[in-house]
Amino acid sequence: MSDQVRNLVFHTLSDEWATLKRVTFDYRRHDGTWETQVRQTYDRGDGAVILPYDPDRGTVLLTRQFRIPAYVTGHIEPLIEAAAGLLDADDPETAIRREAEEELGYRFSSVTPVFKVYMSPGSVTEQLSFFTARYSPADKVSAGGGHAGEGEDIEVLEVPLTDALRMVTDGVIVDAKTIMLIQHLLLTERT
C-alpha cells in the first residue's frame, strides 16, 4: 500500500454479474493534509481485445452486437467492436485466442501484444490487454458468432481498414478499445 492511502474499508453493494463495492479510505493530498474519501469500484475481471488485420487485402475483422449499457444511454444500434472478452482463469493471450475463435471464427498462428490499459479507471477495476494478429481467409475455422447460451448474438464483419477509420470519423464506431486498436494499426502499418 502506498503512503498516500490508509484505512481502506470495503463494503460490497452488489455481487451479481460483477462486484460493486463502496470504498472508504483516507487520502493524503499533495499539500500533505489527509481527507476521507468515498468511492465505488466495479470489478468484473480483466479482459483482452484483438484486432485482426489482413495486410494482403487491407481488411480487419470486427464484431457487431447489442450492448445494453449503450442502449439505455441512447445508442440504440448494436455496437461495432473489436473482439474481446474476460480472461476468466486464463492468461491474456490464451483468453484472446479463445475469444477470437468463439466470436470471429478464426484461429491465428500468432498474436501480437500491443499494450495493457485501464479503460475507465475512475470506477472500473478492469485492465484490458490489447492484441493484433495478421490473418488470412485460411485461418477461418467456423462461422463465429459467440455462444448463444451466454446471451451472445455476434455478427462478424470484415471491412477494409480505411472503411473502419471512416466509421470512427463518422461516429459509427464509438467503442474506445476498437478506436484505439484501429489507430494503432494505422500507425504501425504505415511506418
Side-chain angles (χ1 to χ4, degrees), residues 20-74:
L20 178 64
K21 292 182 180 180
R22 181 179 60 234
V23 184
T24 305
F25 59 97
D26 295 331
Y27 174 76
R28 187 169 53 134
R29 299 175 56 84
H30 285 98
D31 66 6
T33 61
W34 287 91
E35 69 182 12
T36 300
Q37 295 188 2
V38 178
R39 299 287 186 267
Q40 291 181 358
T41 61
Y42 187 68
D43 183 359
R44 60 184 217 106
D46 291 340
V49 58
I50 192 164
L51 183 62
Y53 175 61
D54 182 336
D56 295 331
R57 296 180 302 136
T59 57
V60 293
L61 294 173
L62 297 168
T63 66
R64 183 182 352 241
Q65 60 184 313
F66 175 77
R67 297 295 198 176
I68 192 66
Y71 181 84
V72 300
T73 58

Side-chain angles (χ1 to χ4, degrees), residues 90-156:
D90 292 326
D91 62 90
E93 183 174 332
T94 301
I96 202 55
R97 287 177 176 280
R98 177 191 70 237
E99 292 296 328
E101 193 166 331
E102 289 174 4
E103 293 187 6
L104 299 170
Y106 282 75
R107 187 175 300 143
F108 307 117
S109 59
S110 66
V111 297
T112 303
V114 178
F115 37 72
K116 185 176 181 178
V117 301
Y118 289 100
M119 293 299 294
S120 187
S123 58
V124 180
T125 63
E126 177 186 42
Q127 286 189 330
L128 199 55
S129 296
F130 285 67
F131 293 88
T132 59
R134 291 185 174 228
Y135 81 97
S136 74
D139 296 320
K140 188 169 184 170
V141 295
S142 75
H147 286 296
E150 295 176 3
E152 294 180 330
D153 180 27
I154 298 170
E155 179 185 356
V156 179

